[in-house]
Amino acid sequence: MIENHNLHIYNTLSGEKEKFESLNPPMVGMYVCGPTVYSDVHIGNLRTFMSFDLVFRYLKHLGYKVRYVRNITDVGHLESNADTGEDKISKKARLEQLEPMEIVHRYTHDFHQVLESFNNLPPSIEPTATGHLIEQIEITKTLIEKGLAYESEGSVYFDVTKYNQEHNYGELSKRNIEDLMANSRTLDGQDEKRNPQDFALWKKASAEHIMRWPSPWSEGFPGWHLECTVMSTKYLGEQFDIHGGGMDLKFPHHECEIAQAKGAFDQAPVKYWMHANMLTLNGQKMSKSTGNTILPKELFSGDNHFFEKAFHPMVVRFFMLQAHYRSVLDLSNEAMLAAEKGFNRLMLAGKSIENLPISENTSFDLHQWVKLCHEKMDDDFNSPMLIAQLFDMVKYINAILDGSETINQHDHIILKMRWDEFVHQILGLYAVENISGNKALDGAMQLLIEQRDKARANKDWATSDEIRDRLAQYGITLKDGKEGTGYSVE
């Protein structure tokens, strides 16, 4: 299918949509920055991982052999991007009086559980920062030898000014190095740097720092930015196809990754840089300090003060896929209720496909619909437009059930196959029996349908019509077919 598609990806580096051409077809190397595992995974971060799960799924659907690498940061992520403050994992371990690796294990396990609940596919490789310390030390040595890094009081820093003599630090985030220098201020503990924009490759551990390893410069730990350069190039090569992450990582994290890789390997590491946008809550940025935040488990259980009810992970996934990954998405009670309604309608239509009445001819252009579905996804993984196409098909499915449209046996087979591909394999959605009381609703509807069938058998058309019309008032449409009566929720 690769040759038959015209996939375009928005490349943050160029600021344009570019035709996707892998470096070594049909292989694709994709690296996505994973979590720092010191707390429960944030619902906003989950949007990023779900966005790249969609990318992973669609590339596989097209026939690419994708090596998807997503790291676990288990050391080196300090509280400040300016290389100050405590290591986030060490701080959590100190506060809870636990070993740092106990913290890492607990929250890595939580991360995997939550992603599994959203039906995210696991990556091909999930390396850890602590598992690649030797490689990080070696690349730091290389950068020192090339004059792009320097040792100072046991720590090693990347020399941004020296790098910028031949390269462009700021090319990804479109920032100017002179402006960055002018707007920088010297922070406490930063006097060992040559300039404030330099960033740590290796940090000397203070006396109270728990996580520490030997190196040629000091007993310490690696810088946060360095791990991603090491792990992405180790498993995907010095040049690879796609690097993804949240919009908040564009600067300084991804900018530093480019500088490290260009400095070490003398070439640009990534062909397509992709960034997922943020998730807001009730129109405001999510923040622990203001209380405007929610954990996935609180959304699933209903144990929160933002939403009037619990929502299944599949509804949350559907909600997130209704927006393009590059657009800001606002999470609210009203939006989730609307998403649940739409999800139910989509799943009920999918359930109806199996029992569609078969005719000699198909009265609509199924192949054009399939083509349009692919075109939407080929346009920078436009999931909301794919969902719009799926709802166009929902109308046809309902029309086939009421006899105003028809489908032949060959197209019925194609429809079942394509529906499974688009809904289940690409979007990663599956039907949930207990959502919105589906089991209870099915039971109640079965009782009403039986009562209506009895009324019709007795030629009691008034009662039959009243049941139908009253249900329609509540958004439930009865559908009479050869296999009996079904229903859909509008």
Side-chain angles (χ1 to χ4, degrees), residues 104-149:
V104 167
H105 180 76
R106 177 200 299 176
Y107 292 113
T108 301
H109 179 68
D110 168 76
F111 174 67
H112 289 154
Q113 279 192 317
V114 173
L115 287 193
E116 188 177 341
S117 72
F118 280 118
N119 200 29
N120 275 29
L121 298 175
S124 313
I125 304 173
E126 192 173 53
T128 64
T130 55
H132 296 77
L133 290 164
I134 293 172
E135 293 91 338
Q136 291 177 80
I137 290 170
E138 289 303 312
I139 198 172
T140 300
K141 288 180 183 178
T142 299
L143 290 168
I144 292 174
E145 290 168 2
K146 291 190 169 188
L148 292 170

Side-chain angles (χ1 to χ4, degrees), residues 231-480:
M231 290 186 280
S232 61
T233 56
K234 176 172 181 175
Y235 296 109
L236 300 175
E238 293 177 6
Q239 281 190 310
F240 56 96
D241 297 293
I242 297 171
H243 193 312
M247 198 75 75
D248 58 317
L249 297 180
K250 189 162 53 172
F251 185 88
H253 186 54
H254 290 163
E255 203 74 71
C256 294
E257 281 191 59
I258 292 174
Q260 290 165 161
K262 278 190 173 181
F265 308 123
D266 300 314
Q267 59 186 343
V270 178
K271 191 171 182 182
Y272 304 93
W273 283 90
M274 297 179 66
H275 292 90
N277 217 323
M278 71 171 66
L279 182 70
T280 58
L281 180 59
N282 292 323
Q284 297 182 353
K285 183 178 179 180
M286 291 194 191
S287 169
K288 290 181 181 178
S289 60
T290 63
N292 192 54
T293 185
I294 186 170
L295 294 174
K297 60 186 176 184
E298 295 170 335
L299 192 55
F300 302 159
S301 68
D303 185 19
N304 63 82
H305 60 275
F306 295 108
F307 299 91
E308 65 183 64
K309 64 186 293 295
F311 292 98
H312 192 278
M314 279 298 96
V315 173
V316 182
R317 184 180 180 96
F318 177 76
F319 161 74
M320 290 192 182
L321 293 173
Q322 282 184 300
H324 191 267
Y325 76 90
R326 285 193 291 112
S327 64
V328 176
L329 176 61
D330 188 52
L331 181 64
S332 68
N333 186 66
E334 292 74 20
M336 285 304 302
L337 290 172
E340 184 175 74
K341 189 175 178 181
F343 175 79
N344 283 337
R345 187 173 170 225
L346 192 68
M347 292 301 110
L348 284 167
K351 188 177 178 181
S352 301
I353 291 175
E354 189 66 38
N355 297 315
L356 289 178
I358 303 302
S359 302
E360 289 187 9
N361 300 303
T362 300
S363 60
F364 57 95
D365 194 338
L366 176 63
H367 298 281
Q368 176 65 14
W369 174 77
V370 172
K371 182 173 179 288
L372 287 171
C373 287
H374 278 124
E375 284 180 359
K376 304 310 178 187
M377 285 299 292
D378 285 342
D379 182 15
D380 195 28
F381 310 98
N382 200 328
S383 58
M385 292 305 295
L386 171 60
I387 289 172
Q389 289 299 317
L390 291 171
F391 277 110
D392 279 350
M393 182 52 63
V394 170
K395 295 175 185 175
Y396 281 116
I397 291 168
N398 291 335
I400 294 168
L401 288 169
D402 67 25
S404 57
E405 298 282 1
T406 59
I407 190 168
N408 65 30
Q409 187 169 7
H410 176 263
D411 284 348
H412 183 231
I413 293 169
I414 292 174
L415 175 58
K416 286 194 291 183
M417 179 179 68
R418 294 304 192 184
W419 187 269
D420 177 69
E421 288 176 348
F422 292 126
V423 176
H424 304 133
Q425 296 178 30
I426 294 173
L427 294 179
L429 299 170
Y430 60 81
V432 182
E433 287 302 321
N434 62 350
I435 193 166
S436 287
N438 267 1
K439 283 185 176 178
L441 180 59
D442 282 343
M445 286 304 302
Q446 188 58 42
L447 179 62
L448 287 169
I449 289 169
E450 287 174 3
Q451 293 299 315
R452 180 169 173 264
D453 287 344
K454 287 180 181 178
R456 295 172 76 189
N458 295 328
K459 301 190 184 318
D460 184 359
W461 308 119
T463 300
S464 171
D465 292 347
E466 182 181 9
I467 292 172
R468 181 199 62 203
D469 295 342
R470 290 285 296 276
L471 287 171
Q473 291 175 13
Y474 296 104
I476 299 173
T477 303
L478 294 180
K479 301 179 181 298
D480 297 316

Side-chain angles (χ1 to χ4, degrees), residues 173-227:
S173 57
K174 310 297 185 285
R175 301 189 186 205
N176 183 281
I177 186 67
E178 287 76 19
D179 292 340
L180 290 172
M181 296 291 190
N183 293 327
S184 296
R185 59 189 178 88
T186 302
L187 301 172
D188 291 340
Q190 295 278 300
D191 53 351
E192 61 191 42
K193 292 184 179 183
R194 291 179 183 171
N195 71 75
Q197 291 306 316
D198 294 350
F199 55 88
L201 301 174
W202 185 266
K203 286 285 286 182
K204 180 180 180 180
S206 59
E208 65 275 9
H209 201 281
I210 306 171
M211 304 176 78
R212 55 177 66 217
W213 293 266
S215 80
W217 314 286
S218 66
E219 196 170 77
F221 54 93
W224 173 42
H225 310 305
L226 190 60
E227 63 173 285

